[in-house]
Amino acid sequence: MIESRLSVPVLRLISDYVDHYAAIDPDRECLIFGTQRLSYAETRGHIDRMAQALIASGVEPGDRVAFFSTSRLEFWLHFLAVTDIGAIWLGLNPKYTQAELEYLIKDAEPRMIFAFPELLGNTYTIVLEALACHESVQELVWVGEDEPIKESNGTAWSDFSARADSIDLTSLEKRRAAVETMDPAFMVYTSGSTGKPKGTLLTHYGQIFTGVVGVERKGLRERRMICNLPINHVGAVGDICARTMIGGGTIFFHEEFDPALMMADIETERLDVFAAPPTIFQICMNHADFASRDLSSVELLAWGGAAMPLDVLRTFREKTGARFCTVGYGMTETVGGVTFSELEDTNERLVETIGTPDKRLPLRIWLNDQEREAAIGEEGEIQVCGNFLMKAYWRRPQDTAEAFTKDGWMHTGDLAKLRSDGHILFTGRLSQMFKSGGYNVYPVEIELCLQEHPDVDIAAVVGVADPIYQEVGYAYVVLLENCNLDETALRAWCKQGLANYKVPKRFTVVRELPLLPIGKVDKVRLMELASAKN
């Protein structure tokens, strides 16, 4: 049984929750990866030793420290150790190109880089040694290596760890005590869809406060769930790892999304939360193992970042027997969710809306051109206010200033309408909205229409330049197995439910959609493909 309101303390530092639950139940499982299983008490021991070694290595408050890895137990221990001593943690995604990684290192200027030389059968030593040549990087540490790697300037993990012996626990506690709750804890780079990626500085307090509210609103006390998202994303760090730990739960790490492994662990470990972007739900539902796996332990289905197709939600509720579902809205700059559905909301509300605001996380729908709050049914920009928000964009004071209104509300760039029942209808992004013949067109509305077709699995729509209408929509559609729809049929379907100016100019049936590492559809790539065809 999930209780929707459970008191969770607002502590000072993110890692304080390890101590909090270790004092209550030291043997409670905290982190699991393969055969590695750490209790809350054991987790604190690992954090302390790593933090001592970081101090001995010369890491000072405010220094950036980067970690190059897939979603493994070591990444979260490293995050907690770095933030514990006032440094700023940065996750690096192995799927990034060398040019993308070079940009991040040049911009963030980390003092140290920690990295696995091999991940998922790929070797990264050459790439990482090149990154370590940047003038800010004073040391490259090879995680998990007991001996130095031949012809490498990197430090073996055993040599790094041995430095902890020179820092006693009293010195460590003094360092921890000097860290303020409003200090930046980690940096997440935004996707850069409208320009070069920006480093978003997120504080201990921001992660803790939104995490506490999220635990209470989403029923996430003492939950057991999987983290298989890339570590450079707020979804992995905040939505899954931090929030699960704040609620006293257990995190299961998977290096990448593998539908077979994900469903196998849910069955074997009797996990009670299935949390992922809707695309992952859809891929699992279409996997050959879905019918045979026992997912009855799942009590709560949770998603965000995109609309959940109704047929997928119904299928998962029937398969798992989950009584509770939750969807919400948030972004990197808000650290966590700022709207929440009720745990027993109807399927209609869950699919069509992003829930309701929480009074502790002030939110308004604002008409920028009229400088007033939107009335029910009027479309405006979602704006958020509070000291839990990002501290700043790293070394970008102008971008930081432009992100906020004069009265302190943060622009999200997302559009929504307030319904008469108090729920919020997400209508799209300002950056994704396109104008066709003078009309505003929002891709999410077209995507939902297409996904209501019984033969359509997933759909994505992007706007493309057009000499007559300024912009038109291009739709990319994945059909269910053994289904056969052509462009004529898809256009006819859209015309039944959409105004003519919203109907895409072109429909392309594809086997799969390009995905970002987080599991969302890569709209930038689709726009490139659409522009090439135009």
Side-chain angles (χ1 to χ4, degrees):
M1 173 70 71
I2 293 180
E3 297 180 54
S4 62
R5 299 291 184 272
L6 285 166
S7 177
V8 181
V10 176
L11 303 179
R12 187 172 63 91
L13 304 182
I14 298 170
S15 69
D16 285 346
Y17 288 90
V18 177
D19 300 318
H20 176 73
Y21 292 109
I24 296 172
D25 183 4
D27 295 328
R28 181 187 301 178
E29 287 189 317
C30 181
L31 311 177
I32 296 174
F33 176 63
T35 59
Q36 297 174 276
R37 304 180 83 96
L38 296 182
S39 68
Y40 272 84
E42 291 169 331
T43 297
R44 171 44 75 184
H46 283 280
I47 295 169
D48 284 351
R49 185 159 184 84
M50 202 178 298
Q52 288 168 297
L54 286 165
I55 294 172
S57 300
V59 174
E60 298 290 338
D63 282 347
R64 281 74 58 211
V65 181
F67 196 84
F68 178 92
S69 178
T70 50
S71 178
R72 299 170 58 112
L73 175 149
E74 293 91 344
F75 117 72
W76 190 238
L77 290 173
H78 188 264
F79 172 91
L80 295 172
V82 169
T83 58
D84 216 27
I85 60 171
I88 300 171
W89 187 86
L90 171 67
L92 299 177
N93 189 343
K95 290 187 177 181
Y96 275 11
T97 65
Q98 184 162 349
E100 289 172 314
L101 292 168
E102 290 279 3
Y103 171 82
L104 297 180
I105 297 301
K106 183 178 181 180
D107 192 69
E109 295 187 329
R111 180 189 182 105
M112 298 180 74
I113 298 176
F114 290 75
F116 286 94
E118 293 187 6
L119 292 164
L120 297 173
N122 298 310
T123 301
Y124 296 97
T125 50
I126 295 175
V127 171
L128 290 160
E129 286 172 352
L131 296 179
C133 289
H134 190 276
E135 60 183 2
S136 75
V137 180
Q138 298 187 16
E139 189 172 16
L140 170 63
V141 178
W142 298 116
V143 181
E145 296 297 316
D146 293 330
E147 300 293 335
I149 295 176
K150 290 183 179 180
E151 300 179 359
S152 168
N153 293 323
T155 302
W157 178 260
S158 56
D159 292 336
F160 164 76
S161 184
R163 297 173 190 168
D165 296 334
S166 65
I167 304 295
D168 59 34
L169 287 175
T170 300
S171 299
L172 173 59
E173 286 306 312
K174 183 177 180 181
R175 178 68 172 268
R176 290 187 72 238
V179 183
E180 301 288 342
T181 192
M182 294 305 295
D183 287 345
F186 61 114
M187 187 188 307
V188 176
Y189 276 80
T190 57
S191 62
S193 60
T194 57
K196 286 289 187 180
K198 300 187 291 288
T200 310
L201 289 172
L202 307 177
T203 66
H204 284 271
Y205 178 78
Q207 182 59 77
I208 289 167
F209 189 69
T210 58
V212 167
V213 174
V215 167
E216 293 182 349
R217 291 295 304 267
K218 292 177 177 286
L220 293 173
R221 186 69 181 268
E222 299 180 14
R223 297 292 124 201
R224 294 160 61 83
M225 72 177 79
I226 292 168
C227 178
N228 54 16
L229 303 177
I231 70 168
N232 64 306
H233 197 278
V234 73
V237 176
D239 293 340
I240 302 244
C241 293
R243 190 177 289 168
T244 301
M245 193 182 72
I246 287 170
T250 305
I251 309 165
F252 292 75
F253 294 92
H254 289 179
E255 289 196 79
E256 60 181 352
F257 168 56
D258 179 330
L261 177 61
M262 190 173 189
M263 290 186 286
D265 254 12
I266 290 173
E267 178 181 314
T268 303
E269 297 283 355
R270 306 300 293 165
L271 306 188
D272 49 16
V273 177
F274 192 119
T279 309
I280 286 180
F281 281 83
Q282 291 172 293
I283 293 172
C284 286
M285 186 182 77
N286 295 329
H287 193 273
D289 291 354
F290 185 72
S292 61
R293 282 297 180 189
D294 178 6
L295 307 181
S296 61
S297 62
V298 174
E299 298 181 17
L300 172 67
L301 304 173
W303 67 92
M308 174 73 83
L310 182 58
D311 66 313
V312 177
L313 177 57
R314 285 173 173 164
T315 299
F316 261 87
R317 296 197 86 157
E318 291 172 2
K319 173 71 174 177
T320 62
R323 290 182 53 203
F324 305 102
C325 298
T326 181
V327 63
Y329 166 83
M331 58 192 302
T332 300
E333 289 85 347
T334 66
V335 194
V338 289
T339 71
F340 304 89
S341 60
E342 295 301 323
L343 288 172
E344 298 189 44
D345 265 347
T346 63
N347 284 349
E348 178 269 336
R349 280 182 172 173
L350 291 165
V351 169
E352 294 186 2
T353 79
I354 54 174
T356 60
D358 188 287
K359 292 181 179 179
R360 293 167 288 185
L361 309 172
L363 179 149
R364 71 185 185 185
I365 299 176
W366 193 254
L367 300 179
N368 290 312
D369 57 342
Q370 301 180 39
E371 296 188 354
R372 65 173 177 85
E373 197 157 359
I376 292 173
E378 288 186 313
E379 183 178 68
E381 182 192 19
I382 298 173
Q383 296 181 354
V384 188
C385 186
N387 60 354
F388 59 90
L389 296 170
M390 70 166 186
K391 194 174 189 73
Y393 289 121
W394 172 250
R395 293 177 175 170
R396 294 187 180 225
Q398 183 174 345
D399 287 337
T400 301
E402 290 175 354
F404 291 87
T405 65
K406 292 180 180 179
D407 55 348
W409 291 80
M410 190 191 76
H411 295 287
T412 67
D414 290 326
L415 300 169
K417 297 178 182 178
L418 181 66
R419 302 199 321 185
S420 59
D421 62 2
H423 283 66
I424 296 173
L425 178 67
F426 182 87
T427 55
R429 286 193 57 80
L430 282 168
S431 60
Q432 290 182 2
M433 180 198 78
F434 61 90
K435 281 187 174 291
S436 186
Y439 292 96
N440 293 343
V441 180
Y442 303 106
V444 66
E445 182 181 7
I446 307 170
E447 291 163 358
L448 289 172
C449 175
L450 283 165
Q451 286 169 175
E452 288 175 358
H453 193 289
D455 293 342
V456 172
D457 186 10
I458 311 172
V461 177
V462 294
V464 180
D466 184 83
I468 299 176
Y469 296 103
Q470 186 178 353
E471 289 178 289
V472 293
Y474 274 35
Y476 290 84
V477 181
V478 179
L479 301 179
L480 294 172
E481 191 174 357
N482 298 322
C483 292
N484 185 24
L485 289 176
D486 59 14
E487 184 167 355
T488 301
L490 290 167
R491 179 172 285 105
W493 174 264
C494 285
K495 285 184 175 180
Q496 293 178 18
L498 299 171
N500 188 58
Y501 70 88
K502 297 179 184 179
V503 177
K505 179 180 180 180
R506 178 173 292 180
F507 297 81
T508 302
V509 175
V510 294
R511 295 184 62 183
E512 59 184 15
L513 295 173
L515 301 179
L516 295 166
I518 189 62
K520 295 181 182 179
V521 174
D522 187 348
K523 289 288 185 80
V524 173
R525 177 58 181 153
L526 286 182
M527 289 180 70
E528 292 172 351
L529 294 173
S531 297
K533 288 184 177 182
N534 193 20

